[in-house]
């Protein structure tokens, strides 16, 4: 939304400037994940993957403010603010002098420091701090709280979720596979259509790309290229040709096998192609059509990926029966998709003793996948004697949209201020709370201990605050210490 960014606030922020003590000249705040009690993962580690600040700083704090505020005529932006405040809170209830003064400065007089993006951050460690660089604009620091929170919590949350998918895939690859070559594409982002709009899909979708290179969200690739990838030839993500139900339906049920044959022999005689296979009778496709098409499938230089898209994903892929059963009389449903394809197409047994499907066929399941289900699927495949590389997961909005700011308890709070140049350590400590909402005090510094873990030191002086792991990323309208996606991926992968 290309709105005037000075109005991208919660309404109650308009009156805070007057409510601070007379003489206030400095406000210092931080943005911190306070707890993960609402985050569930088989490999929970009490850490968050910090991501998303650089893109936000460029598009909102620089580009949008320059275009829709500073570059606009002073009277235009001031009148817009005045008119909204008059209608919202009453005529003349809010002064516009501070808005006029900010416009005349020509940039946001702020300093924002943060940890390196792609870092794994323990709970209660601030990922960023923000303060004003010009005394007059102390009010601007927490004025931006709402938009900063709204734009930052999901990118980090999605990056964390994706990292846990990666860890799960890595865990089972280590147990059942000869190498990790499949992992970059083992989880594919299907979430675009389930996100809260185009910008949300683009911005949060890049969090997935810190851990994987498979996505169907082209806006995420464009966002990553614009804000995190100066090198035009750097590979961000890719995909393969794939059908949808409308394609299969247009071929009609009685012509479904003909649609398959046309796809793999005429349109895509080589390379990867994914075909949604449950439009009518999935098990008929897998047990009958695949046998009839076997000569054409095996003659291709590439892989036909069957895509089941309904039912219980664990049962569809791994079966409803005993994982140790070998009775050939079991039904396809009891055996599950991987075992059925093994019986028809065969494959190899790797050095660890696990079965790997023939490379001409594969499976991707993209409906209602969660961390728990992905882990259960790979666990059951291991029990059945199959390598984890035999399946790919389409990770959609069922994963990436079922989170809130509370998933990691993100909050932006002031911990220090100055009145007439005299510092005050400030904090909150609600007696009615469990302790999660307790804030740090004063100026903050984040260091690494001997074990390499991030630790917080509060109550610092300015000299101490200037050291540590928090680096200046934004200063008076300019970005500093920017990094590219390749660096972020490498950093996360090394942790």
């Amino acid at each position: 939304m290309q709105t005037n960014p000075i109005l991208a606030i919660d309404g109650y922020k308009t009156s805070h400037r007057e409510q601070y003590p007379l003489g206030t000249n400095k406000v210092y705040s931080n943005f911190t994940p306070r707890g993960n009690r609402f985050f569930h993962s088989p490999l929970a580690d009490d850490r968050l993957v910090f991501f998303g600040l650089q893109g936000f700083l460029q598009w909102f704090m620089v580009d949008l403010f320059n275009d829709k505020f500073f570059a606009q005529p002073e009277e235009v932006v001031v009148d817009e603010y005045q008119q909204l405040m008059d209608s919202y809170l009453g005529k003349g209830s809010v002064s516009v002098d501070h808005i006029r003064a900010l416009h005349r400065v020509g940039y946001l007089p702020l300093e924002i420091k943060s940890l390196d993006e792609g870092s794994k951050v323990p709970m209660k460690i601030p990922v960023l701090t923000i303060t004003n660089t010009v005394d007059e604009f102390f009010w601007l620091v927490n004025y931006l709280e709402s938009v900063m929170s709204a734009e930052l919590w999901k990118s980090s949350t999605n990056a964390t979720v994706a990292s846990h998918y990666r860890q799960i895939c890595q865990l089972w690859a280590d147990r059942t596979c000869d190498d990790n070559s499949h992992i970059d594409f083992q989880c594919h982002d299907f979430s675009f259509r389930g996100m809260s709009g185009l910008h949300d899909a683009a911005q949060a979708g890049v969090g997935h790309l810190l851990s994987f290179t498979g996505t169907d969200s082209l806006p995420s690739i464009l966002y990553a290229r614009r804000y995190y990838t100066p090198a035009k030839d750097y590979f961000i993500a890719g995909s393969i040709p794939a059908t949808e139900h409308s394609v299969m339906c247009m071929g009609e049920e009685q012509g479904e096998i003909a649609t398959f044959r046309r796809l793999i022999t005429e349109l895509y005689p080589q390379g990867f192609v994914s075909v949604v296979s449950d439009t009518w009778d999935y098990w008929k496709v897998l047990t009958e059509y695949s046998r009839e098409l076997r000569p054409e499938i095996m003659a291709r230089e590439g892989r036909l990926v069957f895509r089941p898209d309904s039912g219980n994903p664990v049962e569809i892929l791994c079966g409803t029966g005993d994982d140790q059963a070998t009775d050939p009389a079991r039904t396809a449903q009891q055996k599950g998709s991987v075992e059925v394809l093994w019986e028809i197409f065969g494959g190899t047994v790797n050095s660890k003793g696990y079965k790997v499907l023939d490379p001409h066929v594969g499976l991707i399941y993209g409906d209602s996948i969660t961390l728990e289900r992905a882990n259960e699927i790979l666990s059951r495949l291991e029990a059945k004697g199959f390598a984890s590389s035999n399946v790919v997961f389409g990770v959609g909005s069922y994963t990436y949209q079922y989170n809130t700011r509370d998933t990691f308890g993100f909050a932006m709070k002031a911990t220090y201020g100055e009145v007439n140049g005299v510092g005050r350590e400030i904090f909150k400590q609600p007696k009615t709370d469990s302790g999660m909402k307790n804030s740090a005090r004063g100026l903050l510094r984040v260091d690494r201990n001997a074990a390499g873990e991030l630790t917080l030191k509060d109550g610092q002086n300015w000299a101490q605050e200037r050291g540590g792991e928090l680096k200046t990323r934004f200063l008076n309208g300019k970005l500093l210490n920017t990094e590219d996606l390749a660096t972020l991926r490498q950093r996360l992968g090394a942790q």
Side-chain angles (χ1 to χ4, degrees), residues 123-366:
M123 296 297 101
K124 298 187 180 297
I125 300 295
V127 296
L128 68 83
T129 61
I130 175 173
T131 192
N132 55 298
T133 59
V134 176
D135 288 357
E136 179 183 355
F137 299 103
F138 68 89
W139 57 270
L140 191 56
V141 175
N142 268 32
Y143 184 89
L144 296 173
E145 173 192 0
S146 302
V147 67
M148 290 186 70
S149 178
E151 293 292 338
L152 294 176
W153 74 261
K154 185 179 279 189
S155 294
S156 288
T157 300
N158 283 13
T160 306
V161 172
S163 175
H164 279 253
Y165 272 109
R166 178 90 189 194
Q167 292 174 61
I168 289 169
C169 292
Q170 185 68 58
L171 170 68
W172 293 104
D174 289 344
R175 294 186 185 183
T176 67
C177 301
D178 282 342
D179 58 54
N180 301 325
S181 60
H182 62 286
I183 295 182
D184 283 348
F185 284 95
Q186 192 164 16
C187 290
H188 199 87
D189 185 6
F190 280 1
S191 67
F192 184 177
R193 70 195 62 188
M195 304 302 280
S196 300
L198 176 60
H199 185 82
D200 180 43
Q203 181 173 254
V206 184
H208 176 89
L209 297 179
L210 260 65
S211 293
F212 297 100
T213 52
T215 185
D216 259 42
S217 176
L218 295 185
S220 296
I221 298 176
L222 295 174
Y223 190 96
R225 187 168 300 285
R226 180 170 184 178
Y227 299 116
Y228 287 93
T229 317
K232 293 183 179 180
D233 59 348
Y234 176 69
F235 179 71
I236 297 173
S239 188
I240 65 174
T243 70
E244 65 177 14
H245 286 293
S246 69
V247 171
M248 308 309 290
C249 289
M250 285 292 285
E252 300 184 296
E253 184 174 4
Q254 64 271 25
E256 186 176 23
I257 191 170
T259 300
F260 266 89
R261 181 173 282 111
R262 174 172 174 262
L263 287 166
I264 63 175
T265 61
E266 298 179 30
L267 293 180
Y268 309 105
Q270 60 186 14
F272 283 61
V273 59
S274 171
V275 182
V276 64
S277 305
D278 71 327
T279 305
W280 293 287
D281 187 341
Y282 172 71
W283 294 112
K284 184 176 184 179
V285 168
L286 215 62
T287 60
E288 296 182 24
Y289 294 171
S290 68
R291 289 183 188 276
E292 185 173 336
L293 293 170
R294 188 180 187 282
E296 290 98 324
I297 293 172
M298 297 298 287
R300 293 180 73 248
E301 292 185 8
R303 180 176 301 171
L304 169 59
V305 180
F306 295 92
R307 179 162 73 89
D309 196 42
S310 56
N312 182 309
V314 179
E315 295 179 349
I316 295 293
L317 292 174
C318 303
T320 60
D322 181 355
D323 291 339
Q324 305 301 322
T326 57
D327 182 1
R330 289 174 299 147
T331 65
Q333 292 94 322
Q334 290 174 317
K335 296 174 183 177
S337 302
V338 177
E339 188 174 344
V340 168
L341 288 181
W342 173 264
E343 290 181 347
I344 297 171
F345 294 93
T348 59
V349 176
N350 65 24
S351 65
K352 294 180 180 177
Y354 291 93
K355 300 172 185 175
V356 180
L357 287 173
D358 185 279
H360 291 90
V361 292
L363 287 156
I364 182 170
Y365 197 105

Side-chain angles (χ1 to χ4, degrees), residues 404-426:
T404 71
R405 180 174 69 96
D406 291 325
T407 301
F408 288 101
F410 268 114
M412 182 170 165
K413 299 299 175 185
T415 58
Y416 177 85
E418 293 179 4
V419 179
N420 296 319
V422 179
R424 297 181 178 182
E425 292 189 353
I426 59 179

